[in-house]
Amino acid sequence: MRFRLVLSEAVRSVGASMSTTIAATVTVLIGMFVLGLTIALGTWVLSWSDHVKKQLVAKVYFKTDATARQIDHVRILLAKDSDVKSYTFVSKEAALAQMRRQYPDLVRNLSYNPLPASYEVVPVRAELNASIAKYLNHASNGLPPPGLDKVNYGAKLSKRVLRVGSIIEIVFLIGVLILLVASTLLIANTIRLSIFSRRREIEVMKLVGATNWFVRGPFMVEGLLCGLAGAVAAVFLLLLGKAIALPAILGHIKDSQGVTAMPFGLNALILLAAGLMLGAMGSGLTLRRFLKV
């Protein structure tokens, strides 16, 4: 019975202050649309960053006169290293065949095979490439094991990619937090207009003995309704953008296979939950000053 009364009061409040209700709903719509776009774009960029990190591998090159025993010794060292996820042996013949496929002009007139045998080492995390190189370069009493020529993991490129990935993660987190705070403040200020216009009504309700939660209830339900309506509209706009704009954008981005954003359904659920939470919080926080009668 009490819930029905609170709900009816909330519906009456929405009808009585349609302009501020629309303003609050549009505010939620804008905030949730930008938040949803940020989540989709941010998670896609994070996925792209992880995709690039997975391409960072360490290449262990052997001397041209390395024996099978020396090569197998390095294999044993790699198998013992907990930083190594997997490793693949590339023979001299396989390296030459790969070079002929990628750069046929460079190897067309070769009279012999100058390419060394090697291991392509995939780390558990891209950040561990340097650790793997250091481990191999000092595996034999502080020196590289016999037959090992060098370990190349693109130190400068790896450092640059990892730095960019860290910056992307920090910017994404800060952006989402700023959007949540800004949306809460905007919704609170918009709902404050509706509450301020009815401050006499709130004062009278308090003077006749209404509890704080009885007064707060209809306004919080009103905030929930505005938040839900704005979030649903934002999800609809994002769905249109996903169907119309996204294919055209991804068609111009190379090397995007395996790169995905957060699933749209999960993004939509987050926006609906955030819209409801922000609507209720905006109303609750704004009412605090008017309940002190």
Side-chain angles (χ1 to χ4, degrees):
M1 184 70 181
R2 179 173 295 182
F3 175 76
R4 185 180 301 175
L5 177 61
V6 170
L7 184 61
S8 63
E9 284 294 316
V11 173
R12 183 189 66 81
S13 177
V14 169
S17 55
M18 185 61 67
S19 59
T20 54
T21 300
I22 293 175
T25 303
V26 172
T27 302
V28 176
L29 165 62
I30 296 172
M32 293 303 97
F33 178 78
V34 175
L35 178 62
L37 198 61
T38 302
I39 291 175
L41 181 61
T43 53
W44 188 93
V45 173
L46 288 175
S47 178
W48 174 84
S49 175
D50 292 337
H51 175 70
V52 173
K53 287 180 181 179
K54 290 178 182 178
Q55 298 178 10
L56 298 176
V57 298
K59 294 188 176 182
V60 182
Y61 293 103
F62 294 95
K63 296 177 181 178
T64 54
D65 59 349
T67 64
R69 185 173 182 179
Q70 291 171 340
I71 293 175
D72 190 62
H73 176 61
V74 172
R75 180 192 64 79
I76 294 173
L77 292 175
L78 292 173
K80 292 179 178 179
D81 192 354
S82 60
D83 294 340
V84 175
K85 181 179 181 180
S86 63
Y87 50 90
T88 304
F89 179 69
V90 181
S91 65
K92 298 179 61 170
E93 294 74 18
L96 182 60
Q98 184 178 1
M99 183 68 85
R100 281 175 175 161
R101 289 194 301 269
Q102 295 180 347
Y103 308 102
D105 294 337
L106 296 178
V107 297
R108 182 171 298 160
N109 300 319
L110 288 178
S111 58
Y112 69 100
N113 184 0
L115 300 178
S118 63
Y119 274 109
E120 287 189 356
V121 182
V122 179
V124 175
R125 298 192 314 274
E127 293 83 356
L128 298 174
N129 269 325
S131 175
I132 294 172
K134 183 178 180 181
Y135 165 70
L136 290 177
N137 286 325
H138 298 82
S140 181
N141 296 323
L143 297 173
L148 180 64
D149 184 21
K150 62 179 178 179
V151 181
N152 184 7
Y153 63 96
K156 291 184 179 179
L157 176 61
S158 297
K159 188 175 181 180
R160 188 179 301 116
V161 170
L162 295 175
R163 184 187 298 118
V164 171
S166 300
I167 292 174
I168 289 173
E169 293 173 1
I170 294 172
V171 170
F172 172 66
L173 179 61
I174 293 175
V176 170
L177 291 176
I178 290 175
L179 278 173
L180 288 174
V181 173
S183 298
T184 304
L185 293 177
L186 285 172
I187 294 168
N189 286 331
T190 305
I191 295 177
R192 181 177 298 172
L193 296 175
S194 174
I195 298 174
F196 185 77
S197 64
R198 283 174 285 169
R199 63 190 184 281
R200 296 297 181 190
E201 178 184 343
I202 296 173
E203 292 175 358
V204 170
M205 293 175 67
K206 287 288 294 178
L207 290 174
V208 298
T211 64
N212 287 343
W213 277 108
F214 184 82
V215 177
R216 184 183 283 120
F219 290 100
M220 293 191 68
V221 172
E222 180 182 353
L224 286 171
L225 294 176
C226 293
L228 180 61
V232 169
V235 170
F236 178 73
L237 290 180
L238 288 172
L239 186 61
L240 287 180
K242 179 176 179 288
I244 298 173
L246 188 61
I249 295 174
L250 292 181
H252 293 84
I253 299 178
K254 297 180 180 180
D255 194 28
S256 61
Q257 292 184 350
V259 180
T260 57
M262 177 182 289
F264 183 81
L266 180 58
N267 194 356
L269 288 176
I270 291 175
L271 294 184
L272 292 175
L276 290 170
M277 181 184 69
L278 292 177
M281 286 180 58
S283 298
L285 293 175
T286 304
L287 272 169
R288 290 180 62 184
R289 60 174 296 188
F290 293 101
L291 292 177
K292 298 176 181 179
V293 178

